[in-house]
């Protein structure tokens, strides 16, 4: 059985700052004919499961225009142009900008967020041995953030109540629960 | 501190079968001025952590054009027009089409997959008490799928090796490990 879909034609729809949009005409495998694939191309992002010396998890409260709601998430940020291959530095930058912390980073997972139509890949790091940066880089000037430091139990309650409904944050919290926490 | 970003103007870019694309001009809170938000609107999807009577997890192998690679995922599917509010029926349909099974569904989580720019929300169900459907609905005619039934340990090995790199699948597997499995 063959799986690959060969591109016959790509139609570029949009070339933005955050993502590009294209529609591909593809040749299906196994003589199944042709189909169209609507696609989003994104540079990727980093996110950081940030654990303080007293085992609290750092969450960022922010407004998300796509869902028109407040969201609680682990610190994260898009890769800038040319940052492919230096994701760890990007993660340290985002950690400092969003939380004022620096620390030791360990790569936990890489995952595609919306694999059906989008190539955004997020690298998830664990940040430990946190220290406050004396004069941290400022937050992006179009972001309004508020920080919280919560126990794993408090975080898991926010998942259950639906206040945390961000996939990367749920992955990070589950990882923490599996490796460092009690059972939930 | 105020968080909300008010829409000044929405520019519609693309109206596809899978998603819509728009760019919003927004008024930032706290007198920070204006910004642009590139947005993807998606109807949402369902996914099913499918556990056989002998505690194997059902994974679907398929090609994903957005990443131009083979992917191993839990069964899933987009909501069709008008299916908002009947996600459980959509999940039963996808389960039957992709695996030939039906079963009892329990809602585990709802999460946004790419909250920074996209409103796609996935409902994750647990399917238990599986039974084979005698004459299951056929797969979509533009999908080529292969099924695997693997132990949790085998699945977690595929996460570690990078063969599973789909966010919804990682969330489902971690959930299973936390609630039914040993520690990983």
């Amino acid at each position: 059985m063959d799986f690959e879909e060969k591109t016959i034609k790509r139609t570029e729809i949009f070339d933005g700052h955050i993502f590009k949009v294209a529609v591909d005409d593809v040749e299906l495998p196994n003589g199944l004919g042709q189909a169209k694939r609507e696609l989003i191309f994104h540079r990727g992002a980093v996110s950081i499961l940030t654990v303080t010396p007293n085992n609290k998890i750092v969450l960022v409260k922010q407004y998300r225009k796509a869902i028109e709601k407040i969201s609680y998430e682990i610190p994260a940020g898009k890769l800038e142009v040319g940052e492919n291959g230096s994701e760890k530095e990007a993660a340290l930058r985002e950690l400092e900008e969003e939380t004022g912390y620096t620390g030791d980073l360990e790569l936990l997972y890489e995952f595609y967020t919306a694999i059906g139509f989008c190539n955004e890949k997020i690298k998830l790091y664990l940040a430990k041995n946190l220290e406050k940066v004396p004069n941290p880089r400022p937050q992006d000037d179009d972001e309004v953030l508020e920080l919280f430091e919560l126990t794993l139990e408090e975080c898991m309650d926010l998942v259950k109540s639906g206040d945390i409904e961000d996939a990367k944050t749920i992955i990070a919290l589950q990882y923490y629960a599996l490796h460092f926490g009690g059972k939930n």
Side-chain angles (χ1 to χ4, degrees), chain A residues 87-170:
Chain A
E87 288 88 350
K88 204 166 183 172
E89 286 165 45
L92 281 170
R93 182 196 63 223
E94 294 293 340
L95 183 63
E96 183 178 329
E97 285 181 7
E98 295 201 347
T99 71
Y101 281 119
T102 192
D104 297 328
L105 294 193
E106 175 194 346
L107 181 64
L108 301 181
Y109 287 137
E110 302 177 53
F111 47 84
Y112 293 102
T113 53
I115 202 166
F117 58 94
C118 177
N119 75 342
E120 185 196 30
K121 193 176 203 177
I122 292 187
K123 290 201 176 191
L124 171 63
Y125 293 89
L126 172 65
K128 288 193 299 193
N129 305 324
L130 294 187
E131 289 178 28
K132 277 282 175 193
V133 177
N135 294 296
R137 276 176 280 204
Q139 294 171 3
D140 290 345
D141 58 11
D142 67 346
E143 285 185 343
V144 177
L145 308 178
E146 188 178 353
L147 295 180
F148 293 85
E149 298 190 356
L150 300 178
T151 64
L152 174 63
E153 195 180 359
E154 290 168 331
C155 290
M156 286 310 207
D157 285 344
L158 290 175
V159 174
K160 283 184 195 117
S161 68
D163 290 295
I164 291 177
E165 44 187 359
D166 167 52
K168 67 179 176 299
T169 302
I170 293 174

Side-chain angles (χ1 to χ4, degrees), chain A residues 71-91:
Chain A
S71 168
Y72 294 84
E73 302 170 31
I74 59 170
K78 294 178 294 291
L79 294 176
E80 309 291 340
V81 176
E83 276 190 326
N84 237 301
S86 53
E87 288 88 350
K88 204 166 183 172
E89 286 165 45

